Amino acid sequence: MVSDLLIRGGTPVTGYADPAPADLLVRDGRLADGPPLPGAETLDATGLLVLPGLVNTHDHLRSLLPMTRRADTSGLAQMIEAGKLAGAAATPEDYRALTALAAARMVLSGVTTAVDHVYPLHRPGMLAAVAAGHADVGLRAHLAYGLTEDYEEQIRLAVAAADDEVPAGRLYLAPVSLRQTSADGYRAAARAAERTGLRLYTHIAETREEVDKCLAEHGVRPVELLHQAGFLRPGTVLVHCVHLSEREIGLLADNEVAVAYCPSNHLRLAKGFAPVVALREAGVRVGLGVDGMDDLFTEMRQAVYAQGQAAGRPGVLGSDAALRMATGEGTAAIGEPDAGRLRAGERADLITLRPGTSMRPLADPVQSCVHRAHGQHVSDVLVDGEFVVRDGRLTRAGETELADRAWRVTRDLAGRTGREHAADWQWGPAAPQEMP
Ligand SMILES: [Zn+2]
């Protein structure tokens, strides 16, 4: 059945070209040319900006880390340890509840596609529960299946899930990092990718300590080690890439490897500045990742600021580049090329923004979107031409119910893992207290 949606009177924003209002037609989940068929549904987008859906190329959507006062000062090692304990105690229902809330946060802030790096979930029902959490709100998700010490069994489980629980094109074999996966694990994942066609994904070159340890143990830098392991293949996505040599940048370009850049996470954990400008100049596709921080609007501006700071030259990464990294370039980085530019024939993944006072005057919509927009400006979100957010509200789930359910799960998990004092959990959905 043919179904048309006419998005009338909105202003498409895809780059620095002078924006002007234009109607967009959605037919059977894709953008199309031509007049709408009789009886088409209409979205009045007068006064709204229309952007391609934002693509979050790296996150962990079932955040198991309790967000309490004391969590603010914890370092990377403590966060990893706390996440491991909670992950071991979590049930499939816990994963689904936390994933659904995070997926809601994604779509409400304009993300239509996210890569969810999941681990540990090597227990019955876990992968299906995570996929159900994404589906609860309508987020398109890629699943990066985390591999740790027991990688042979985990690869077997991931391969068995391909096209059964998750489409193979959206499933990655994803060693967690050199901290948690051995070089043999990376080699095994690369062999499995060669055999099955599944793609590869991992955190790499994240801290100076990781580089030093890798040099001491293997005599090469982390990305060189992955190259030796056969891990650098077309379609591979590497997260972070903060500390790279020129040779490593060349290896990424030569092997058609993409990078997921997470500027707020790098600033929050004082990891350093990834060489994003050099990577893009070398022809490497770079997408943006939220990685447990705020949202992709924030990541766009943080990318601009962090790159300017690193170079000592403001604007070395422009706002239009940041917008492309959050849309078309991010889409291409994760191998979904037929979206991200608002062109006929593409999948209709798009968002509308209602520009608030903070975004005005709209002399330059790209500047306003990159430097002044927030999730609350998002009005409508379409994934494959279907509304998952309409007029600022989820269409498939209730926000309050999702938040209450996730609050209970987080409180119970903290109690079961003995990580938090009961005093931290006086806050509840029903009776918030004043800050001391
Ligand atoms: Zn991560």
Side-chain angles (χ1 to χ4, degrees):
M1 190 184 74
V2 176
S3 58
D4 278 5
L5 168 68
L6 181 66
I7 301 172
R8 180 180 285 158
T11 301
V13 179
T14 54
Y16 275 147
D18 276 348
D23 294 348
L24 290 170
L25 180 66
V26 177
R27 176 168 293 163
D28 288 336
R30 290 189 175 263
L31 290 166
D33 282 325
L37 295 172
E41 190 185 352
T42 300
L43 173 70
D44 181 4
T46 308
L48 305 187
L49 304 177
V50 185
L51 276 70
L54 306 183
V55 178
N56 178 5
T57 60
H58 181 65
D59 221 326
H60 309 280
L61 293 187
R62 53 44 179 146
S63 173
L64 297 162
L65 306 174
M67 300 298 284
T68 68
R69 278 161 255 163
R70 279 174 299 127
D72 198 41
T73 52
S74 60
L76 183 59
Q78 290 163 292
M79 286 172 69
I80 289 170
E81 187 55 30
K84 264 195 201 171
L85 281 171
T91 65
E93 292 71 31
D94 295 340
Y95 267 87
R96 180 171 180 166
L98 294 174
T99 301
L101 179 69
R105 199 166 66 233
M106 286 297 117
V107 295
L108 286 165
S109 62
V111 170
T112 49
T113 301
V115 183
D116 192 358
H117 194 180
V118 286
Y119 54 91
L121 46 54
H122 316 110
R123 302 197 294 276
M126 287 299 200
L127 194 59
V130 169
H134 302 137
D136 283 343
V137 299
L139 174 71
R140 175 185 297 106
H142 286 216
L143 271 159
Y145 193 90
L147 308 178
T148 53
E149 296 90 352
D150 191 15
Y151 52 84
E152 291 290 4
E153 173 64 5
Q154 292 160 358
I155 289 170
R156 197 187 63 72
L157 289 170
V159 171
D163 279 337
D164 185 15
E165 293 177 70
V166 182
R170 295 180 184 162
L171 182 67
Y172 303 79
L173 299 171
V176 174
S177 72
L178 283 173
R179 283 184 301 270
Q180 294 173 62
T181 317
S182 65
D184 282 341
Y186 279 85
R187 279 188 276 274
R191 283 195 302 273
E194 179 73 37
R195 194 175 70 242
T196 63
L198 291 178
R199 287 184 296 147
L200 298 167
Y201 190 95
T202 193
H203 297 107
I204 201 76
E206 186 173 352
T207 64
R208 208 169 288 284
E209 295 76 56
E210 177 195 328
V211 176
D212 291 344
K213 191 159 179 281
C214 188
L215 279 166
E217 286 178 10
H218 302 284
V220 289
R221 299 172 60 90
V223 170
E224 293 171 332
L225 183 69
L226 296 199
H227 181 51
Q228 290 177 358
F231 202 86
L232 304 187
R233 302 158 46 85
T236 295
V237 179
L238 299 185
V239 183
H240 297 314
C241 289
V242 178
H243 301 280
L244 299 178
S245 66
E246 269 183 42
R247 175 175 141 73
E248 289 177 306
I249 292 172
L251 287 173
L252 299 184
D254 291 347
N255 291 284
E256 297 173 47
V257 171
V259 168
Y261 173 44
C262 311
S264 298
N265 176 284
H266 299 172
L267 292 165
R268 154 77 176 84
L269 291 164
K271 291 173 180 172
F273 299 100
V276 169
V277 174
L279 281 164
R280 295 180 79 242
E281 278 173 6
V284 177
R285 285 181 174 136
V286 183
L288 293 174
V290 175
D291 200 10
M293 305 305 287
D294 188 3
D295 66 20
L296 264 181
F297 291 107
T298 307
E299 295 309 320
M300 283 194 262
R301 47 190 166 261
Q302 295 282 34
V304 172
Y305 307 151
Q307 292 301 309
Q309 179 75 36
R313 194 153 51 90
V316 68
L317 184 82
S319 301
D320 60 334
L323 180 63
R324 279 203 300 276
M325 288 162 68
T327 54
E329 195 168 324
T331 306
I334 60 167
E336 297 253 11
D338 61 340
R341 289 157 303 176
L342 298 182
R343 291 183 187 160
E346 285 183 0
R347 270 199 329 256
D349 286 7
L350 56 88
I351 65 177
T352 68
L353 298 188
R354 189 177 299 284
T357 306
S358 73
M359 293 175 69
R360 294 183 184 279
L362 277 173
D364 179 346
V366 172
Q367 283 275 342
S368 289
C369 288
V370 171
H371 296 276
R372 297 290 184 83
H374 300 271
Q376 62 263 34
H377 293 127
V378 173
S379 180
D380 307 288
V381 178
L382 280 82
V383 175
D384 283 330
E386 300 278 335
F387 284 98
V388 301
V389 174
R390 187 152 197 176
D391 206 13
R393 301 178 70 86
L394 299 171
T395 60
R396 301 186 184 183
E399 241 180 281
T400 309
E401 291 75 28
L402 290 178
D404 287 358
R405 193 162 53 127
W407 180 85
R408 283 188 202 92
V409 165
T410 307
R411 179 198 57 190
D412 294 350
L413 267 177
R416 294 207 310 267
T417 56
R419 297 296 294 180
E420 301 297 329
H421 293 301
D424 281 354
W425 294 100
Q426 290 171 5
W427 298 71
Q433 299 180 350
E434 267 183 49
M435 279 290 281

